[in-house]
Amino acid sequence: MDFPVEDLKELIVEESESDTRLDVFLSRHLPITRSEAARMIDQGRVLVDGKPRKPSFRLQEGMKVSAETGRKDIEPSLAPADIPLSIIYEDSSIIVIDKPAGLVVHPGAGTREPTLVNALVYLFPEISNVGDPERPGIVHRLDKLTSGVMVVARTQEACRKLAADFKAHKQVRIYKAICYGRFEQPSGRIETLMHRSPRDRKKMSSKVAAGRSAVTNWLVLKEWRGFSLLELSLETGRTHQIRVHLSDMGHPVAGDPEYGGKRRANTIADPVVRSYVRSLGRQMLHACRLGIIHPVSGEWMEFTSALPDDFRTLMALLDERQQETC
């Protein structure tokens, strides 16, 4: 494969960069994000010692990385999309959204449907130029099948401040979840390492020997036969953190299609409850409260989101079936 000379960037891997991922290496040496680098690699625009490699390829000292640096086609389509959004709060610096389950936060690999970002660009065009060009305005995320409150930055200043605060864990994030089983204690703290699962790279796991610290606090709010309603607060914000922690404890979130919640539905003795849980299109996990420091005023602000209909319907059904069998 030959690259135009004027668009070719050639880099030699130094000793200190040995064992660095290819996408990380490129993001450090070129004015692009790691995901942009991964897309360049997938497009065949990067060679290592003359050969195409995957984004996860580990470089070694002395290797030569050749990258076609023309930025055309790097950024994903962020076409505005007229998707109704529930806006809890907005000012000139931030927007607070009540995200529904089923809405992806930003475009990515394998995402074809319009996302929250596409809806935000439609309503607030200025967000297109805020932060990461792939996910403008986004400073934290909720999983596609998790509902609840999110904050979005509307300016560069707000984006920088909010991103720094999330990295430093200065915000308060409270969730509610309906999970399987009952707990021996009324509350607890889960502190583990978290990393990609060695068995399935699309999943995360807390049963690993190395990884990043993950801390979840939980409190039992209510119990039914075979289920518990929890309030959870995050001290860290790892990918799928609550879902992984509860699943690895033996209490997967009801309806979770990836971490045991869907499979566990087959064990529900009550046929009415079993039928409803099987019909859930998502995990019963809801971000109900978010506390942040306003990026401009410095004021502490808290925002809440009421439990969605499918969540409340399951709770009412569990109440009803428990009363009928008492």
Side-chain angles (χ1 to χ4, degrees):
M1 182 184 302
D2 294 323
F3 295 137
V5 174
E6 62 271 18
D7 290 334
L8 185 64
K9 180 76 171 180
E10 293 188 337
L11 304 163
I12 303 298
V13 179
E14 303 291 339
E15 180 181 2
S16 61
E17 298 171 310
S18 287
D19 203 39
T20 299
R21 285 174 55 114
L22 178 56
D23 53 355
V24 173
F25 176 84
L26 286 174
S27 69
R28 290 175 179 173
H29 288 271
L30 300 177
I32 58 175
T33 65
R34 178 175 168 181
S35 47
E36 285 177 334
R39 188 156 43 256
M40 285 178 62
I41 297 165
D42 290 338
Q43 290 171 349
R45 299 165 64 186
V46 178
L47 301 178
V48 179
D49 288 340
K51 297 180 180 179
R53 297 291 188 180
K54 294 182 178 180
S56 59
F57 178 77
R58 298 284 178 171
L59 297 167
Q60 299 302 321
E61 180 185 4
M63 287 182 171
K64 182 172 74 173
V65 178
S66 304
E68 194 273 298
T69 57
R71 291 180 63 88
K72 55 185 181 299
D73 299 327
I74 292 179
E75 294 182 9
S77 171
L78 288 177
D82 186 6
I83 303 172
L85 291 180
S86 175
I87 298 175
I88 298 172
Y89 172 85
E90 66 172 291
D91 61 26
S92 60
S93 300
I94 63 172
I95 305 157
V96 181
I97 306 293
D98 193 353
K99 188 188 90 66
L103 182 63
V104 178
V105 170
H106 59 75
T111 302
R112 296 182 180 273
E113 69 270 26
T115 68
L116 173 63
V117 163
N118 297 102
L120 289 167
V121 170
Y122 178 86
L123 293 172
F124 309 97
E126 69 277 10
I127 285 180
S128 297
N129 299 313
V130 174
D132 189 328
E134 293 185 302
R135 53 197 75 179
I138 301 302
V139 293
H140 72 123
R141 290 179 291 176
L142 295 177
D143 296 338
K144 176 181 178 179
L145 300 181
T146 297
S147 54
V149 61
M150 279 186 62
V151 64
V152 177
R154 199 169 178 176
T155 67
Q156 289 286 15
E157 178 187 3
C159 188
R160 286 192 295 269
K161 184 63 169 63
L162 287 171
D165 284 354
F166 271 92
K167 186 175 182 179
H169 311 303
K170 292 182 179 180
Q171 71 292 319
V172 169
R173 285 173 287 179
I174 306 296
Y175 292 73
K176 287 185 179 176
I178 299 176
C179 63
Y180 287 95
R182 300 176 71 163
F183 292 74
E184 295 181 359
Q185 303 295 327
S187 62
R189 187 171 187 267
I190 313 167
E191 183 172 4
T192 69
L193 298 176
M194 193 164 291
H195 202 269
R196 291 286 174 187
S197 169
R199 296 183 179 180
D200 185 345
R201 302 298 292 174
K202 293 182 180 180
K203 294 183 179 181
M204 305 297 290
S205 176
S206 65
K207 296 179 178 179
V208 291
R212 301 175 71 187
S213 172
V215 182
T216 304
N217 298 293
W218 56 270
L219 172 68
V220 177
L221 299 179
K222 190 170 185 176
E223 293 180 322
W224 299 275
R225 188 174 293 104
F227 291 91
S228 296
L229 172 66
L230 301 184
E231 180 177 277
L232 305 111
S233 63
L234 300 183
E235 292 185 26
T236 58
R238 308 306 176 209
T239 301
H240 302 172
Q241 179 173 316
I242 290 174
R243 298 163 61 195
V244 171
H245 270 164
L246 291 179
S247 179
D248 286 352
M249 287 177 66
H251 299 282
V253 178
D256 191 326
E258 295 180 299
Y259 294 100
K262 188 174 183 179
R263 184 173 61 253
R264 186 78 168 263
N266 297 325
T267 68
I268 301 173
D270 187 318
V272 176
V273 176
R274 182 170 66 245
S275 177
Y276 183 77
V277 172
R278 281 176 170 174
S279 73
L280 292 170
R282 57 95 160 215
Q283 60 259 6
M284 293 288 95
L285 181 62
H286 181 71
C288 58
R289 180 156 59 95
L290 175 66
I292 62 168
I293 301 170
H294 192 279
V296 176
S297 70
E299 175 188 2
W300 178 257
M301 305 181 76
E302 291 196 1
F303 307 95
T304 60
S305 169
L307 291 176
D309 290 344
D310 55 357
F311 212 107
R312 290 186 287 107
T313 297
L314 177 56
M315 292 173 63
L317 178 61
L318 291 171
D319 285 340
E320 176 186 329
R321 298 302 291 178
Q322 184 139 311
Q323 290 174 2
E324 288 182 359
T325 56
C326 287

